[in-house]
Amino acid sequence: MKEGKTSGGMKKEGKTRSSFSGRLGYVLAVAGSAVGLGNIWRFPYLAAKYGGGIFLLVYLILMLTFGYALIVSETALGRMTRRSPVGAFGAFGKGAFFRAGGWINAVIPMLIVPYYSVIGGWVTKYLFEYLRGNTGALAEESYFPGFIADISGVLWFLLFSLMVTAVLFAGVQQGVERVSRVMMPMLVLLAVFVALYSMTRPGAWEGVKYFLVPNPGNFSWMTVVAAMGQMFYSLSIAMGILYTYGSYMKDEVDIEGSTTQVEVFDTAIAMLAGLMIIPAVFAFSGGDPDTLNAGPSLMFITIPKVFASMGFGTAAGVMFFLLVLLAALTSAISLAESGVSTFEDQFGWSRRRSTVLMGIIIVCFGTASSLGFGVWDFVSLLGMSILDFFDFLTNSLMMPLAALATCLLVTRVAGLERIAREVEQSSAFRRKGMYNVFMKYLAPVCIVIILLSSIAGVLGWITM
Ligand code: PFF
């Protein structure tokens, strides 16, 4: 079916709005958005750094309560108004404060997708090198810093961005949904395979225990703050995406049930990623958890070393980076889709024109982020590289504000009852009591805590 003529298209201002074909299409597309570099690259190193099993436990609790409440809110608001975030906030006719809340939700994905595509470009390059059998070279300590400083990093970024924009041109059902339907099952199979391989290496079992068994001795305040930030990142909350995807959701699709499925999917992949990476690093390092604190470079430096030291390292490398590439692509597509839909809705532009503008934004900010590691490495924003600055600006400052705006929209403007009616239109709202308590009291407090902790962290008042 062609864009704009979908069977489930919603009539809106004379134009037919695109929609997902049904629940499976919706769940796979949202899971495709949620499962990304956050699960495979960020979750394992945070889990390793902030206490292993205890981090996992805190993460699970937060996701099932706080995360759940925010996903339901954004999806219901998107479906109720049939608008992407700016329109959804504007639909209630409130003043400038709420309009700003809509715009902050809408701008976040436009700022994330350029730098996210730079990392996507690195992943594409690593897959290419593994396919060529360059396993030994990738494992050298100097390879990664050398590569990202080189101008060719920009070309890999452009290749990744081209893949993303091609899918966007194709539209919602033909592009976003179709790609997710193929890529997501492939991703699960690859993840199970690589995790089994990693867990069966000699010495890996200690890592499995460290990751899965909670040890209260490892708990700290930062465990909670880090788990909360990761939950936002991983579930694609507070970045306009769920408003947009909710607006493409048919009225009969069960919001509560599909949210639960997305959460299970996202967490399963994050846990598989933990089981791929943490045991492999334990096996490689002879059980020294300090090597796990490798941080962001874990995936590009430590993992290639682990692969090079193992049998079938090249095959493992190809599978692992193919998996990461699929995950990164579907997420980048969703981030960009959110931007495209904002342009379509707010400026009344065609999909084509909106996609072109999104492409230009990606190329401009992404090239700057990429060059920030090479010829522009003298640029320092609040002591950060250009890429790190975009990451900090969006994840640590703008996302908590966007989530707070959603909480206020739900409790002060739309009303908890109206959200409940929207959810109940398609299914029972079993966790309504918990939802209401979270939206009214706990979520705003949690959000302010994340915001203050992030600011204190960057100012050096607390160690993150
Ligand atoms: N949720 C996705 C991930 O975990 O990779 C995509 C994503 C969205 C990542 C927004 C980062 C981000 F700031």
Side-chain angles (χ1 to χ4, degrees):
M1 260 176 284
K2 280 271 175 321
E3 164 72 19
K5 287 191 200 130
T6 57
S7 58
M10 315 298 162
K11 281 279 171 199
K12 191 203 106 196
E13 288 156 14
K15 244 170 109 190
T16 308
R17 192 172 184 79
S18 338
S19 76
F20 290 117
S21 61
R23 174 159 169 181
L24 183 67
Y26 172 79
V27 169
L28 288 178
V30 179
S33 160
V35 175
L37 294 168
N39 302 60
I40 304 175
W41 156 75
R42 201 170 188 263
F43 180 85
Y45 84 74
L46 286 178
K49 185 167 173 188
Y50 293 108
I54 195 78
F55 175 90
L56 182 62
L57 183 68
V58 173
Y59 179 82
L60 291 177
I61 296 172
L62 285 171
M63 183 206 48
L64 291 171
T65 51
F66 183 19
Y68 167 84
L70 281 170
I71 298 186
V72 167
S73 305
E74 294 191 11
T75 313
L77 286 165
R79 189 169 78 175
M80 186 187 294
T81 55
R82 294 274 169 228
R83 301 279 197 287
S84 40
V86 181
F89 274 78
F92 296 93
K94 286 287 162 181
F97 178 80
F98 282 98
R99 275 207 304 281
W103 274 107
I104 197 165
N105 271 278
V107 168
I108 290 170
M110 301 177 199
L111 295 180
I112 292 178
V113 70
Y115 84 78
Y116 199 80
S117 302
V118 171
I119 306 177
W122 298 344
V123 173
T124 318
K125 159 80 175 176
Y126 269 57
L127 174 60
F128 177 73
E129 292 300 334
Y130 272 112
L131 283 169
R132 286 175 53 192
N134 264 344
T135 314
L138 294 176
E140 276 163 32
E141 192 86 28
S142 58
Y143 188 89
F144 180 64
F147 159 62
I148 61 171
D150 191 74
I151 193 87
S152 68
V154 179
L155 297 179
W156 289 100
F157 148 71
L158 289 174
L159 177 65
F160 183 89
S161 316
L162 206 68
M163 295 191 260
V164 173
T165 19
V167 175
L168 291 183
F169 266 121
V172 173
Q173 282 197 358
Q174 288 298 313
V176 179
E177 182 175 328
R178 201 157 152 207
V179 165
S180 307
R181 270 180 192 264
V182 179
M183 287 191 183
M184 297 313 286
M186 256 171 81
L187 191 142
V188 175
L189 283 180
L190 278 176
V192 170
F193 195 81
V194 180
L196 283 176
Y197 172 79
S198 156
M199 282 157 66
T200 47
R201 296 305 93 195
W205 199 244
E206 277 310 303
V208 177
K209 279 203 292 203
Y210 175 77
F211 176 54
L212 292 183
V213 182
N215 174 359
N218 288 339
F219 181 83
S220 75
W221 174 238
M222 281 316 291
T223 308
V224 183
V225 174
M228 222 175 333
Q230 173 62 15
M231 187 201 70
F232 269 62
Y233 193 102
S234 189
L235 291 171
S236 299
I237 295 171
M239 52 194 83
I241 293 173
L242 297 167
Y243 283 92
T244 306
Y245 279 17
S247 78
Y248 300 149
M249 185 193 219
K250 288 179 179 172
D251 285 333
E252 62 274 17
V253 174
D254 171 356
I255 293 186
E256 196 174 56
S258 42
T259 300
T260 308
Q261 282 180 345
V262 168
E263 287 199 323
V264 168
F265 209 112
D266 189 66
T267 310
I269 298 286
M271 288 185 66
L272 279 172
L275 288 174
M276 280 186 256
I277 292 178
I278 298 177
V281 177
F282 259 76
F284 173 74
S285 65
D288 174 11
D290 283 349
T291 39
L292 285 168
N293 293 346
S297 62
L298 192 62
M299 195 167 87
F300 294 104
I301 298 179
T302 316
I303 285 294
K305 278 194 207 162
V306 173
F307 286 156
S309 74
M310 288 176 168
F312 305 110
T314 304
V318 168
M319 270 191 298
F320 179 80
F321 279 97
L322 178 62
L323 164 86
V324 184
L325 179 63
L326 295 182
L329 266 177
T330 47
S331 295
I333 291 166
S334 76
L335 289 161
E337 171 67 34
S338 180
V340 168
S341 140
T342 299
F343 298 143
E344 285 184 298
D345 286 357
Q346 292 322 113
F347 308 141
W349 287 1
S350 68
R351 184 164 187 96
R352 205 188 160 81
R353 191 166 175 191
S354 308
T355 308
V356 169
L357 178 61
M358 194 62 237
I360 294 173
I361 294 176
I362 297 179
V363 170
C364 292
F365 286 144
T367 306
S369 301
S370 182
L371 293 179
F373 294 107
V375 287
W376 286 359
D377 64 358
F378 55 89
V379 179
S380 162
L381 303 161
L382 290 178
M384 291 175 251
S385 70
I386 303 176
L387 188 147
D388 288 333
F389 176 75
F390 275 119
D391 188 65
F392 170 75
L393 178 71
T394 49
N395 286 286
S396 306
L397 299 183
M398 293 172 77
M399 271 154 61
L401 291 174
L404 199 58
T406 296
C407 284
L408 294 175
L409 186 68
V410 168
T411 51
R412 301 285 156 89
V413 182
L416 290 164
E417 261 321 299
R418 199 140 155 208
I419 301 284
R421 275 206 302 279
E422 181 65 36
V423 175
E424 283 163 353
Q425 180 178 314
S426 43
S427 69
F429 194 1
R430 284 176 292 269
R431 289 194 252 168
K432 185 166 156 184
M434 184 204 76
Y435 172 83
N436 288 350
V437 172
F438 254 88
M439 290 311 288
K440 248 179 157 156
Y441 309 110
L442 295 176
V445 174
C446 292
I447 291 166
V448 171
I449 291 173
I450 313 186
L451 185 61
L452 296 180
S453 304
S454 311
I455 297 174
V458 88
L459 294 176
W461 295 345
I462 53 171
T463 34
M464 297 294 273

